[in-house]
Amino acid sequence: MAEKGPSRQRRGRPRQAEVARLAGVSQTTVSLVLGGNKQGIALHEETRARVLDAARELGYVPDPAARRLAAARNNLLGVFSFTATFPTAVEHSYYPILVGVEQEAAAQGYDLVLFTGSSPGGAQAKDPGALNRVRLADGCLFLGRHVPDDQLRQLVADGYPAVHIGRRDELEGLAWVGADYVAASAEVVHHLGGLGHRRIVLVREDDDAPASTDREHGFRTALAAYAADDPASVVRSARPADDITPEWVRDRLAEGVTAFVAEETDTGAAWRALHTAVAAAGLDAPGDLSLALLGSPPADLAAARPPTGFDIPRADLGAAAVRMLTAQLAGQEHVEPLVACGFRTGSTAGPPPGRTG
C-alpha cells in the first residue's frame, strides 16, 4: 500500500513542521514566510512561493494562540467592572460604554475579555489580589464608582497598562478618560437660572466619587451667578429613598426653593427618590416646581417624560478609553480630551410658579 501524503495521514490542524517537510525547507523559513517576514531576512521568491503553495495544499491556518504567545502579547483587552452586578441589559447605563469599547477594540484589532469582579458568587474586587486576574490581558479598562485603590495602585506601579473610564486623578499614574461633568452641570444650572430660579437644591449621594464631586463643582460655580452660596443648596444622602420624602420636598418649597437637581449614579438612587417624592406629594413638574437631572434617568424611569439635564456620550467614552489603552500598549503618549455632554431641554423645568418667564 502506498504511503499516504502528509495531508491525508494527519488529523486536526496542520502544523508548520508539516508545511516545512512538504516545501522542503526549514521550519524557521516557514515561520518567516507565514509571519510576513517582519525581520526583513532575504528569502528567494521561489522559496517563498513553495512555502505558500505547501500551506495552501495542507490547508494550513495559523494558530492565533501560538502567534500571540510568540509575540508575548495576547491581543486581548480586559474590561473590569466594580459595580455590584456586571451589566448585560441594554437599558443599563454601562451598556453603551461597552458598545463603544467593543467597536473601537475591533477597529484596533483586539479581542475583549470581561472580568466579572463584582458578580454575586464570584471573586470580589475587594478580595486581596483579585485584580491580578486582569494580567491575563495585555491591558485593562476599569469601570465603576468605587475602586479598590490599593490594588489598582499596585497594578499601575507594576507598569501594567490600565485606563479607568471616568475621572480618577486621585490615583497617581492611572490614566483615565472622562466626561466634562463640570461644564455640563453648570449648563443645566444656567438654564434654570435663565428661567428665573434662584433657590435650587442639588441632591447627591454621600460619598466622594469624582463624578459626584465634578457635578457639585459645576453646580455650585454656576449657582453663584444667581444666588449667594448656601450650604443647604447641596444635600448629601447615603439613603436617598429614606431622606428625600414628600414632606422633605414640601418643606424645601416652603423655604423658597423652586427647583431641584439630582445627580445620576450607578444606582440612580438620588433621582429615583426625588422623582418618587415629588409624585407622592401630588406635585407636578414644571407646574409646581422644576426638576433637572445631571445625566440620564434610570431604566425604570426612562419611559417617563424626559427630564431636563444632559446626556453622557457613553459610547464615545468607551472608544476613547480603548484608544488610550492601545496607545499605552504601543508605548505612545496619548491624551484624550474630556468628552462634552449634550444638554437636554427635557420637559420638567419651567419658570418658577407665578412667573411666566
Side-chain angles (χ1 to χ4, degrees):
M1 180 180 293
E3 183 180 356
K4 294 181 180 180
S7 63
R8 296 186 181 185
Q9 67 179 343
R10 77 172 312 278
R11 292 176 184 156
R13 182 196 299 271
R15 297 187 296 271
Q16 285 191 5
E18 295 170 82
V19 176
R21 281 196 296 270
L22 184 60
V25 298
S26 69
Q27 189 171 338
T28 300
T29 299
V30 171
S31 180
L32 285 172
V33 173
L34 298 182
N37 193 16
K38 296 182 176 62
Q39 297 86 345
I41 297 174
L43 291 172
H44 290 294
E45 183 58 33
E46 180 185 354
T47 301
R48 179 177 175 276
R50 288 207 314 272
V51 170
L52 294 177
D53 288 344
R56 279 193 292 269
E57 181 176 340
L58 292 173
Y60 175 81
V61 177
D63 182 347
R67 293 182 65 178
R68 288 168 179 171
L69 285 173
R73 285 276 178 87
N74 292 321
N75 275 22
L76 293 176
L77 302 182
V79 181
F80 195 107
S81 170
F82 296 104
T83 54
T85 303
F86 198 85
T88 55
V90 174
E91 296 82 7
H92 197 285
S93 62
Y94 279 1
Y95 182 84
I97 292 178
L98 297 175
V99 170
V101 167
E102 180 183 25
Q103 291 175 343
E104 186 65 24
Q108 299 276 358
Y110 284 86
D111 292 317
L112 297 175
V113 56
L114 306 182
F115 296 95
T116 52
S118 296
S119 294
Q124 300 297 300
K126 62 183 179 182
D127 295 341
L131 262 60
N132 281 334
R133 292 175 294 132
V134 305
R135 296 178 189 268
L136 292 170
D138 297 334
C140 192
L141 305 173
F142 294 91
L143 301 92
R145 187 175 178 85
H146 303 291
V147 176
D149 292 357
D150 54 343
Q151 294 192 51
L152 199 48
R153 185 178 290 109
Q154 186 60 55
L155 284 175
V156 174
D158 291 344
Y160 180 75
V163 174
H164 191 274
I165 300 178
R167 182 170 73 83
R168 286 290 167 189
D169 53 5
E170 75 277 15
L171 287 179
E172 185 177 356
L174 175 64
W176 56 270
V177 297
D180 194 348
Y181 293 135
V182 175
S185 299
E187 185 174 7
V188 172
V189 174
H190 284 307
H191 177 74
L192 294 172
L195 291 171
H197 296 278
R198 297 297 179 266
R199 293 289 305 279
I200 306 171
V201 169
L202 167 66
V203 179
R204 58 164 290 185
E205 293 192 24
D206 189 22
D207 61 29
D208 294 315
S212 297
T213 302
D214 286 349
R215 285 178 169 94
E216 179 176 338
H217 178 62
F219 172 86
R220 287 188 180 278
T221 300
L223 188 60
Y226 305 97
D229 185 39
D230 178 5
S233 61
V234 175
V235 174
R236 296 171 65 121
S237 172
R239 298 178 301 278
D242 297 330
D243 297 335
I244 309 303
T245 63
E247 293 73 23
W248 180 88
V249 172
R250 292 193 190 97
D251 288 345
R252 301 292 81 72
L253 291 177
E255 295 169 357
V257 174
T258 58
F260 297 84
V261 179
E263 67 164 346
E264 177 194 355
T265 64
D266 294 344
T267 65
W271 175 251
R272 186 178 289 107
L274 183 58
H275 185 273
T276 300
V278 169
L283 300 170
D284 173 71
D288 301 311
L289 76 174
S290 286
L291 297 176
L293 173 61
L294 305 183
S296 301
D300 58 325
L301 297 178
R305 291 182 303 162
T308 299
F310 60 79
D311 294 311
I312 304 168
R314 291 185 167 85
D316 291 344
L317 279 174
V322 171
R323 288 193 296 270
M324 181 172 283
L325 185 57
T326 54
Q328 283 190 33
L329 292 170
Q332 300 171 351
E333 291 288 336
H334 182 78
V335 177
E336 287 280 341
L338 288 175
V339 179
C341 300
F343 177 75
R344 183 182 59 245
T345 303
S347 59
T348 59
R355 177 169 175 171
T356 59

